[in-house]
Amino acid sequence: MKREAWQRIFRYVFEFVVAGFFGWMYEVATVYILYHRFDNRGILHLPIIPIYAVGAFILLAMLGERDRHPVFVFLFAAVVTTAFELGSSYLLEFIFHRQFWTYRNWWGSILDRSSVISSAIFGVLAVGYFYWLHPLSGKLCDKLPKAVCIGFSVIASGAIITDLAISVAELLKNR
């Protein structure tokens, strides 16, 4: 089905928000389970971790929208997102002069910047993205009124961009 530009924008913004929020929930839950404390994870003030959304979009660009077997999606995503996590950790450390995460004490640690466990979790999240979130965003953009989709896209994008600008400025100031 050919979608209008506003529908495609809505899908990407909606998926960015939801994937980033699920990433934030995973991170917060992991820290709580391991260390018994709440830690507002990520660089943003919003409960969104952009690296999860960007990872989902990388997978979408690589795999397309064709129907693929969930086991293939899981394995492919585990490999690609692990490479993305490793590269992102080095890039962020280079830019901000600090390490944002470590898997030093995790079983199956990969260079202390990823792990076999996190790779498996990323694979599960990717299956959820391709079989739940991406189809859901398509249904929503077809059913919701144009004004709602555009309004959500503008407000959510504005909030994320503003938060990103503030957060990056704070990180650069504190490096």
Side-chain angles (χ1 to χ4, degrees):
M1 165 188 257
K2 181 104 170 99
R3 291 199 164 88
E4 301 282 336
W6 62 268
Q7 290 176 308
R8 289 191 303 275
I9 291 168
F10 168 79
R11 284 189 82 175
Y12 291 127
V13 172
F14 178 78
E15 290 177 16
F16 189 94
V17 168
V18 176
F21 178 68
F22 271 89
W24 179 83
M25 287 192 329
Y26 158 67
E27 296 267 343
V28 168
T30 300
V31 169
Y32 190 80
I33 290 166
L34 292 175
Y35 306 109
H36 308 292
R37 64 179 168 81
F38 173 81
D39 185 15
N40 186 20
R41 304 291 291 166
I43 65 169
L44 300 182
H45 298 91
L46 292 170
I48 294 172
I49 300 182
I51 194 171
Y52 286 87
V54 173
F57 291 159
I58 288 170
L59 291 172
L60 181 61
M62 293 177 84
L63 293 174
E65 296 196 31
R66 288 183 288 155
D67 192 26
R68 301 195 187 259
H69 195 279
V71 173
F72 174 78
V73 171
F74 171 83
L75 294 172
F76 184 83
V79 170
V80 169
T81 57
T82 299
F84 177 59
E85 183 178 37
L86 289 168
S88 297
S89 71
Y90 286 110
L91 178 63
L92 290 170
E93 186 173 344
F94 175 77
I95 293 169
F96 297 110
H97 304 285
R98 68 178 262 213
Q99 190 173 356
F100 285 89
W101 63 85
T102 182
Y103 293 87
R104 195 168 295 123
N105 298 321
W106 285 49
W107 178 85
S109 176
I110 303 168
L111 303 173
D112 292 341
R113 294 170 186 268
S114 191
S115 79
V116 173
I117 296 169
S118 65
S119 300
I121 292 168
F122 298 152
V124 169
L125 290 173
V127 171
Y129 173 74
F130 279 97
Y131 288 92
W132 175 75
L133 180 56
H134 193 64
L136 174 65
S137 73
K139 290 175 187 168
L140 285 175
C141 80
D142 290 339
K143 294 187 188 286
L144 290 174
K146 181 178 181 178
V148 171
C149 292
I150 292 172
F152 172 83
S153 299
V154 168
I155 291 168
S157 296
I160 292 168
I161 291 168
T162 301
D163 191 355
L164 183 62
I166 291 168
S167 298
V168 168
E170 290 172 355
L171 287 167
L172 289 172
K173 187 174 101 177
N174 295 327
R175 59 178 197 162

